[in-house]
Structure formats: C-alpha cells, structure tokens
Amino acid sequence: MARKTKKAREGGLPREIPVLPLRNSVFFPGAVMPLTIGRIKTIRLMEQVAGTESYFGIATQKAAEVDDPAEKDLYRIGTVARVVKLARAGKQGFSAVVEGTGRFRIDRFVKTDPFFTACVTSLPEEMPSSDLEIDALALNLRNTAREVIDLLPEIPVMAKQLLDSVTDPGHLADLITANLDATIEEKQGILEAVHLRERLTKVLRLLNRQREVLKLSNKINTQVKGEMSKTQREYYLRQQLKAIKEELGDRDDEESGLEELKKRLGQAGLSTEAGKAAEREMRRMRHMQPSQAEYTVARTYLEWLADLPWNHMSDDNLNLDNAMRRLEADHYGLEKIKKRVVEYLAVRKLKNNMKGPILCFLGPPGVGKTSLGRSIAGALSRRFHRISLGGVRDEAEIRGHRRTYIGALPGRIIQGMKKAGTRNPVFLLDEIDKVGNDFRGDPSSALLEVLDPEQNHAFSDHYLDVSFDLSRVLFIATANQADPIPAALRDRMEIIEVSGYTREEKINIAKAHLIPKQLQEHGISGKELRVPDKTIGRVIADYTHEAGVRNLERQIGAVCRAVAVEVANWDKSGKRFSKKTVTEKKLQEILGRPRFHNESTDRTAQPGVATGLAWTAAGGDILFVEATRMGGKGALILTGQLGDVMKESAQTALSWIRSQAALLGLAKTSQVHLLNDTDVHVHVPAGAIPKDGPSAGVTIIAALVSLLTGRKTHSDVAMTGEVTLQGLVLPVGGIKEKVLAAHRAGLRTVILPARNEKDLDEIPDNVKEDCRFRLVKTVDEVLREALTPASRSAGSSRRRPQVVNGQPAARA
C-alpha cells in the first residue's frame, strides 16, 4: 500500500511503524534502556529495524503475564524509539539498547504478523501560555527529588548531578517518573499526560508520596533500631534492597528463581492434585525468607514436582520384526521371554492405552536376566532404569521420606522416574528376592502397590504426598529364588523362569558375545586369536560348573590375557604376528589342570552310593548319597547338614525298606531281619553346604538298597523324586535345572517321577537327544532302573517281584 511510505507528521515519523510490546515497565521519551529480546515477534521486528535509522514504537502491555499479547492487551499511547546498539544473545534472541524520542498514539493496527504494525499519530508536548507556572513546578519537582535522594543514602551522589543537568521540564518529569516506586498504571498515566503542566503535577504528587513514605520509614527505623534483632534487621534490609532493585529494573535473583520455577511448574503438565499442592507451597514460600530452613524444604519439593515426567512419554517402537531381531542379536536362546515380549508389542499395537505388565525373570545368576531387561528397553525404544533391591531394608527406600526434616527425599521409584524422564520407561527391579525387613519397615510390602496393575496408576510417595501414575511403566523384576519372595508380592508378578544353558548354548553364546567382548576389552583383534569350538567346550566342561556364563567369561578373559602378553612382547621387527589358536593342550597351560571332572563312575564303584539331582539358587547340581552300616540296634544316623524335610525323607526311606525287608531278601520273615541288629549311617558329602527338600527320597532309597543288597548303582544314572511310605514316587520341582545339571555332568539316564512328564517340554531338544528319561511311579521301578542286576553267586539272579503296599505287583 502507498501509506507505508507516506510521511504524516513533523519530525519525519512514518505514518505506519512497527510496535514492540513491553511488559513490566513503561518506557519514556529521552530515556535509554537495555532490552532483552526473546519473543518471536519481537525478534522479527528487531531483524527488520537493525542497521537502519528506522523508528519503531514501544507500547506497554496491560497484563505482564500474557506471553503473546493481542491488540487489546496494549496501551494505545507509547514511546517512539530507535536502536542505539544491537547484539545477538545466544542462538535465538537479541540484546538491544534503545533510546526514546517522543510520544505517539496508536490510531489502529494494520498488521499483527510477523509483528505488530500500527498507524500512529505523533503527540508533541502541549505547552501552557504561562512559562512562569512551568518553571515553578519544575523547581518544586527538582527540590523534592533532591530530598528523596537524601532519604536514600544508598543512591549514588551522581544522581543529584544527573538531576541538575536536565534543564527541560518535560524531560525532567519523564526521568523522575522512570525511577519512581509506582505502579505500571500510574507511570502509564504520566506517559499519557501530553500537557506539560498536568504531567508535572502528577509526577510531583507521586514524588511527594514517596518522600512521605521514606520519612515515615526512617522514623520507624530510628525508633526500633535498638530493639531490632539480627534476623529482623536482615529482613528489613532485604526488603529495602528488593524495592531498590525493582525500581532500577534489576530483579532479585531469588525472586527471578521463583518465577522461573513457577514457569517450569506450569510447563510440567502437573496433575490436578499436584497442581494444587504446588500452588499451596508457592504461596507459603512467598511469605518466607530464603534463609529459613522451611524455605529450602519447600523449594526442593517444588523442584521435584517440576522435574517429574507427568505427561512426557516416549514413542514405542512397535515393529515386531525389529524387536525380535534386537533380542536375537543380544541373547541366544531364551525363547519363552522373547515370545512374551513380542506378545506384549502385538497387544500394545492393537490397544494404545494398555497397562504395563509386571514380569519377573526367575533363574540362577549369570543367565542374562539384567542384560535382557536392557535389551527389551532397546527393542521398545524406551528409556531404561535399573534399581538394585538387594539388601534394602528400609521402607522409605521405596515410598520415600516424609517432609518433616531437611534432607528428605522421594523413594527409589520416584527418583528413577525423574532420571528416566518419561512416564513409560522400562524399570528393572534387580534382586527382588533379596529384599529384607527390620524395625524400619517392610520394603516388600511397599512394593505391593508399585507392582499391582490395579493400584499403581495412583502410586503415593510419602515425600510427594500426591498420586503419581506408574501404569505405563514396564516393570521387570529379577530373582534367583521364588521362595524368599512374599506370596502376596509373587502373586502380582508374571514369573518367567530363565533356566541355565546347555553346553551347545554356552558355546554359541561364547562365540557370538563373550569372545568378541573380551577381545575388545583386552585390545586384541580377531586376527590375533582364534578359539575353536572344541576348546570352548573343554573350558565349559573342565573349568566351569555353573548354570550361567559368568565364570565362562572369566576363563575366556584369562585366555585373552595370556595371548595379550604374547602380543605385547612380540618383536616388531617387521615380522607379522601369526594368529594364535588356543588348542586344548594350550588351554591347560593357560588355565592349569581341569577343576571339574565326572565323579559318578568313581563314586558309584562301591555299593551304597547313589547319584541324585538337586536344585540350587545357582541352577541345578548333582549330589551323591552315601550309606554304610555297622553293628547296633537299628538306629539311623544322618550327616551332611541336612534340613528337616530331607531328614524325614531318609526316615521314610528306611521305614519303607524295613517294611519290605522280606521281599528285598533282607530277612527270612517280615519280623526278623538284619536291620534289627544294624545301625545305618546316611551321609551327603559337601557337609559345609546346607541341604533340604523332599526330592532326594528316591536317591536315599537307592543308596540304602544298594548297600543292603550289595548291588551297585549304574554310574551314568541320576534320579530325583519324593517317596511315600507306600512306595509311590511323587513329582518334584526344578526338573529343567536338574536335567541340565545331569547333562553337564555326563549322566545320560535320568529317572524322573511319571507326573513330571509335562516338564520335559521345557528341556532343549539337543538334551533330549543325548539323555534317556525313565518315568517311574513306584520305588520298585526306580530300583530296577538304578541298580545293577543281582549276582548269581548271591543266589539273587532271579527277578524279584515288584512290591506296592507290601504286596507283590503284577509284572508288565
């Protein structure tokens, strides 16, 4: 339009000029003021006027809290300004120094984008007909201003010199108003006073009011000066300092911090309950001094509220193929867990607002439970946070401390949410079975609310004292044993068993993960070291005895260190280092003699020894039950640090043998047999390790029958099962771990209770191919499979009848 270039008034002010909104202050003609430019519209305005002699207008906002003002939010009378100095502050923003040149009135707004542009009219000062009245008002104003300066000793002396240097009455009125302790409305009223006499009168009225306030303040100060305590004096001085800084436009750092904190709280997306709590604490803080202890407690609380992710959620990667590829790359095997993660992603893809499941990975150490949680977080593209619960005994570690003392903090759950920064992270609660309790509370009970999908949408931390939503968190707990976990807590979790690895699985894990990791950590490349599969298998069989792979990784690290010494000492005369292949012979030179070997053949060479299977926190293991007899009165001696349940199993076994003595060939009649004059001693080696459980029942019977009949047990047979007085074999737990332990020990025949047949589905296929499983229902079947045939010289080569409930059973 042609209007943009047309001049409309004296002094060369264009008809249309850009308008800059100003908050918390009124800019006067003749003043020079620094501005920090941060709003987008204001930045665009400055970019246009920068480097030119263009004028622009500055108009004060009616409400300072409005971040993006509209036309109705600006006063219509402002100050024409020009840029004196302009510098860029940071990546986005300017720091400018502007000078006011005159007043203007906004007639109408022409544009609001990219910044305000208005059609304006210049407002020159209206001088009265009598100069004498103006001179009198100006003199009175100057003298009153000197009195105010005298009442404020902290004002520098140069302020009076500046006052005397101003000769123009209008400029003097504007200068004094800019530094008066007055409201924005009062200052705007003086800016709008175009008539000089009206302006001088208004300024003089405000200045007189401030002078009377200062006089009264000094009088009160003099009266109470002698009685004022140190704290009161500091408070009074702070209030004075605050008022002075506000007048000078230099806001107090603490006040600025509160405003920043209030802004952060507004952007945090607090819940309704949390928003009310924040407003309540903010009101309390404004009536407290920063030096008070309660002030620090309140501020820390508000900062916690502002830092928590109330609404921020990361986007899930719901690509099922990508998740499976990530899990396959990070972990070998563990098909059940991988399947469960893919199922979760599928349901999450179909139902956007589903609650996070509560998974518990149960298994021995070293099988990858913790690293699996990290891989799941990576597959979902979620933040990962781990909390170690081992040894936690204080309930406040979970629920937080109450805000009754300095230093109180939220519990580990809320702390973890703050560190994660999102409402839907993957939370790993490590070693949940090792949570303790004492006089400070029961942390496992506090976890009930955290791990309950029906309650954790309103989790209450003692420190926050407001509800926080944990329903979108994917909680993963890890444990070595299920028994120490309280039943109520165990009921809230979906337990997924992570059993030990087979020999083949360990070889694949070593090749894909452990060896590359150790090579990198020891500074060796794959071109300098080669470990064949046979060597890895020898390390597994001879130097490790575990369900997981931690010790295997240590042994591989020892091999890498030995090769690293050779590489470091290699003569760099130009010869190329030949690739080192660790053979089985070289392995023994590095790691020493084998630490483990199959003892079953040696231990079962004599009658009275049977090989059993046991479940431990570190996976499955084999154990030997030894029995011997001596003259006595039929007593039973038990050693090996056996628990009560295992002692009862031994007594049950002996009672069954005594009841079947005649059928077993131990007596002429059922009433007279050799056990009447014989003491029996049952011992389970590794006596320093406590042992308990009912599953050794069949092993104890096999050892006792072997002793009493002189028949050895097969060296490649292992067994497990609970027995009853009627000779039945009952099912037991931990079948997968026990079978893997037998497989590691080279035992290829495993006797199991018939009702444990369903547990064979969890056994890896390669183990099923290597082992023979004998499912038994009675003790007679156990003895037939476990013991060698009776010798002919003993006259017992005949097949003995099966016995159930004291009666011979029909043969199959």
Side-chain angles (χ1 to χ4, degrees):
M1 295 176 65
R3 287 186 178 180
K4 283 194 173 182
T5 59
K6 191 181 294 183
K7 308 293 182 180
R9 58 189 50 79
E10 300 174 2
L13 183 66
R15 176 62 177 167
E16 295 179 2
I17 62 173
V19 178
L20 184 151
L22 182 66
R23 52 183 172 188
N24 294 322
S25 183
V26 177
F27 186 47
F28 287 89
V32 177
M33 181 175 66
L35 289 177
T36 300
I37 311 298
R39 291 190 282 195
I40 297 177
K41 287 186 176 182
T42 312
I43 291 174
R44 292 172 180 170
L45 187 153
M46 280 298 170
E47 288 175 345
Q48 175 167 317
V49 302
T52 67
E53 295 296 330
S54 302
Y55 291 99
F56 63 95
I58 296 179
T60 302
Q61 293 182 202
K62 296 178 181 179
E65 63 272 10
V66 178
D67 191 59
D68 187 14
E71 299 175 7
K72 60 183 178 58
D73 296 321
L74 301 181
Y75 287 106
R76 293 294 169 154
I77 293 182
T79 301
V80 180
R82 67 180 185 87
V83 177
V84 177
K85 184 179 180 181
L86 184 66
R88 184 169 290 277
K91 295 183 179 180
Q92 295 182 349
F94 288 97
S95 178
V97 178
V98 296
E99 179 186 12
T101 62
R103 289 171 168 78
F104 75 91
R105 182 181 66 247
I106 298 175
D107 295 332
R108 61 184 176 83
F109 283 96
V110 178
K111 291 190 302 181
T112 59
D113 191 70
F115 45 79
F116 288 112
T117 303
C119 184
V120 300
T121 301
S122 179
L123 298 176
E125 289 185 350
E126 298 179 5
M127 298 291 292
S129 57
S130 172
D131 291 340
L132 185 61
E133 183 180 6
I134 295 299
D135 292 340
L137 286 170
L139 179 61
N140 197 355
L141 186 62
R142 197 185 305 273
N143 291 335
T144 306
R146 288 195 184 97
E147 293 182 29
V148 171
I149 293 175
D150 291 337
L151 292 171
L152 295 172
E154 62 273 11
I155 298 297
V157 179
M158 64 181 62
K160 287 186 179 182
Q161 297 175 358
L162 177 63
L163 197 64
D164 294 336
S165 65
V166 179
T167 57
D168 182 74
H171 187 195
L172 177 65
D174 291 341
L175 175 63
I176 292 175
T177 306
N179 295 279
L180 268 178
D181 184 9
T183 63
I184 297 296
E185 291 77 9
E186 291 173 335
K187 291 185 177 183
Q188 180 67 27
I190 294 175
L191 180 66
E192 294 177 359
V194 180
H195 197 282
L196 185 55
R197 182 177 60 187
E198 179 187 357
R199 191 191 317 162
L200 290 172
T201 303
K202 287 185 175 182
V203 176
L204 186 58
R205 187 181 301 116
L206 290 177
L207 196 58
N208 281 324
R209 186 186 68 185
Q210 185 168 359
R211 180 185 61 181
E212 295 304 319
V213 170
L214 291 172
K215 284 183 177 180
L216 182 59
S217 175
N218 289 340
K219 180 180 178 181
I220 296 172
N221 185 38
T222 303
Q223 291 176 351
V224 301
K225 186 175 182 180
E227 303 175 2
M228 188 180 298
S229 65
K230 181 180 179 180
T231 304
Q232 291 171 322
R233 176 177 173 80
E234 289 180 356
Y235 173 79
Y236 185 73
L237 292 175
R238 290 181 191 278
Q239 290 299 109
Q240 287 185 328
L241 183 62
K242 177 181 176 181
I244 293 170
K245 286 186 176 182
E246 287 181 353
E247 289 300 322
L248 295 176
D250 184 13
R251 301 192 64 183
D252 183 75
D253 293 339
E254 191 63 37
E255 186 66 24
S256 300
L258 285 180
E259 291 300 325
E260 177 65 24
L261 182 57
K262 184 178 180 181
K263 181 179 179 182
R264 287 170 54 197
L265 288 168
Q267 297 173 349
L270 304 179
S271 63
T272 304
E273 183 183 5
K276 293 179 179 178
E279 292 178 5
R280 184 172 59 252
E281 288 297 316
M282 188 67 74
R283 286 196 299 269
R284 289 181 62 241
M285 284 182 64
R286 295 191 183 279
H287 294 86
M288 292 188 290
Q289 285 302 304
S291 58
Q292 292 179 261
E294 292 84 355
Y295 184 91
T296 305
V297 173
R299 175 152 190 165
T300 304
Y301 173 71
L302 291 176
E303 288 179 347
W304 270 102
L305 290 181
D307 291 339
L308 287 175
W310 297 91
N311 275 328
H312 180 59
M313 294 179 63
S314 59
D315 295 329
D316 285 346
N317 185 350
L318 302 178
N319 189 316
L320 305 185
D321 294 334
N322 174 73
M324 183 55 73
R325 284 195 301 270
R326 175 67 183 267
L327 294 174
E328 291 288 352
D330 291 347
H331 292 273
Y332 184 86
L334 306 177
E335 300 302 329
K336 185 185 295 186
I337 296 178
K338 293 174 182 176
K339 178 183 176 183
R340 181 65 182 86
V341 174
V342 172
E343 289 173 350
Y344 167 76
L345 283 177
V347 177
R348 174 72 176 79
K349 192 172 184 178
L350 299 176
K351 190 177 188 320
N352 185 44
N353 62 343
M354 73 169 292
K355 297 178 180 179
I358 314 295
L359 306 178
C360 179
F361 296 158
L362 181 67
V367 295
K369 299 186 295 296
T370 302
S371 60
L372 189 59
R374 188 175 287 106
S375 297
I376 291 174
L380 296 175
S381 297
R382 289 191 180 189
R383 301 281 182 86
F384 177 79
H385 183 73
R386 172 182 171 272
I387 298 177
S388 178
L389 297 177
V392 172
R393 295 180 177 273
D394 191 351
E395 182 183 350
E397 292 283 338
I398 306 299
R399 285 194 177 277
H401 305 83
R402 298 191 183 276
R403 287 180 290 120
T404 55
Y405 59 91
I406 300 174
L409 285 174
R412 293 194 183 188
I413 303 298
I414 295 298
Q415 291 183 36
M417 294 301 297
K418 176 184 175 182
K419 292 178 182 178
T422 62
R423 265 186 58 201
N424 59 338
V426 174
F427 245 58
L428 184 73
L429 304 177
D430 217 359
E431 310 291 354
I432 198 171
D433 58 328
K434 296 176 179 61
V435 176
N437 57 8
D438 57 16
F439 65 94
R440 290 167 291 186
D442 184 3
S444 60
S445 297
L447 285 170
L448 293 177
E449 183 182 3
V450 177
L451 299 181
D452 192 338
E454 300 300 325
Q455 298 182 40
N456 61 10
H457 66 279
F459 172 68
S460 178
D461 185 274
H462 288 160
Y463 181 85
L464 295 184
D465 203 23
V466 294
S467 298
F468 191 85
D469 187 3
L470 299 177
S471 62
R472 296 301 183 93
V473 179
L474 175 56
F475 283 104
I476 299 177
T478 68
N480 299 133
Q481 304 178 60
D483 293 341
I485 305 176
L489 185 58
R490 190 165 61 245
D491 179 66
R492 284 162 167 78
M493 298 185 293
E494 177 184 344
I495 295 181
I496 302 176
E497 294 188 6
V498 187
S499 302
Y501 296 111
T502 64
R503 179 178 180 274
E504 288 71 19
E505 288 175 335
K506 288 184 178 181
I507 291 175
N508 284 290
I509 292 171
K511 291 166 58 179
H513 302 285
L514 304 184
I515 294 178
K517 177 183 176 183
Q518 290 299 318
L519 290 177
Q520 183 179 3
E521 290 186 358
H522 291 86
I524 304 174
S525 68
K527 299 179 180 179
E528 297 170 334
L529 175 62
R530 175 177 173 268
V531 185
D533 291 357
K534 288 185 178 180
T535 304
I536 300 174
R538 185 57 56 193
V539 174
I540 295 170
D542 295 348
Y543 297 94
T544 65
H545 192 64
E546 58 177 351
V549 293
R550 281 183 183 159
N551 201 34
L552 175 60
E553 184 175 4
R554 295 188 187 102
Q555 299 302 328
I556 293 174
V559 173
C560 292
R561 288 193 296 272
V563 175
V565 173
E566 297 186 25
V567 175
N569 292 331
W570 184 257
D571 184 13
K572 298 182 179 179
S573 59
K575 295 182 179 180
R576 184 179 179 183
F577 181 82
S578 58
K579 190 171 187 178
K580 192 74 174 180
T581 300
V582 182
T583 62
E584 296 182 42
K585 181 179 179 181
K586 183 67 175 177
L587 181 67
Q588 188 165 343
E589 296 177 6
I590 296 173
L591 299 181
R593 293 183 179 181
R595 301 177 185 177
F596 305 100
H597 63 277
N598 186 4
E599 298 180 301
S600 181
T601 302
D602 298 335
R603 299 289 287 273
T604 58
Q606 299 294 328
V609 180
T611 306
L613 297 173
W615 181 94
T616 68
D621 201 356
I622 64 171
L623 57 81
F624 296 97
V625 176
E626 299 177 346
T628 188
R629 65 182 181 177
M630 65 213 78
K633 296 182 180 181
L636 176 64
I637 304 171
L638 302 174
T639 57
Q641 219 180 146
L642 309 183
D644 292 339
V645 176
M646 199 165 181
K647 289 178 181 178
E648 292 173 356
S649 296
Q651 186 63 58
T652 302
L654 184 60
S655 297
W656 184 85
I657 292 173
R658 291 172 70 94
S659 67
Q660 308 299 324
L663 296 176
L664 292 172
L666 303 178
K668 295 180 179 180
T669 66
S670 60
Q671 302 297 325
V672 180
H673 49 79
L674 60 87
L675 289 177
N676 291 337
D677 301 320
T678 302
D679 287 349
V680 176
H681 185 174
V682 176
H683 176 67
V684 182
I689 302 174
K691 311 167 191 69
D692 202 3
S695 60
V698 295
T699 312
I700 296 173
I701 281 188
L704 288 173
V705 173
S706 172
L707 170 71
L708 298 174
T709 61
R711 299 165 61 187
K712 302 177 185 177
T713 59
H714 292 290
S715 61
D716 66 338
V717 172
M719 62 196 79
T720 183
E722 182 181 359
V723 296
T724 69
L725 288 173
Q726 286 76 32
L728 300 177
V729 180
L730 302 183
V732 292
I735 295 299
K736 182 178 181 180
E737 290 82 359
K738 293 175 180 178
V739 170
L740 293 180
H743 185 264
R744 285 196 300 268
L747 305 176
R748 294 299 180 255
T749 301
V750 183
I751 300 176
L752 300 174
R755 288 168 61 184
N756 280 120
E757 183 178 7
K758 62 182 184 302
D759 297 311
L760 295 179
D761 296 338
E762 299 181 1
I763 307 300
D765 293 337
N766 63 310
V767 177
K768 290 181 180 179
E769 294 173 0
D770 291 344
C771 295
R772 292 181 299 117
F773 299 99
R774 296 293 182 257
L775 302 176
V776 297
K777 295 182 179 179
T778 65
V779 173
D780 275 300
E781 296 178 57
V782 175
L783 298 179
R784 187 169 61 247
E785 297 291 343
L787 301 183
T788 59
S791 63
R792 292 184 180 273
S793 59
S796 55
S797 59
R798 293 176 288 111
R799 180 182 294 273
R800 299 191 183 275
Q802 299 184 35
V803 180
V804 178
N805 295 330
Q807 300 296 328
R811 296 178 182 174

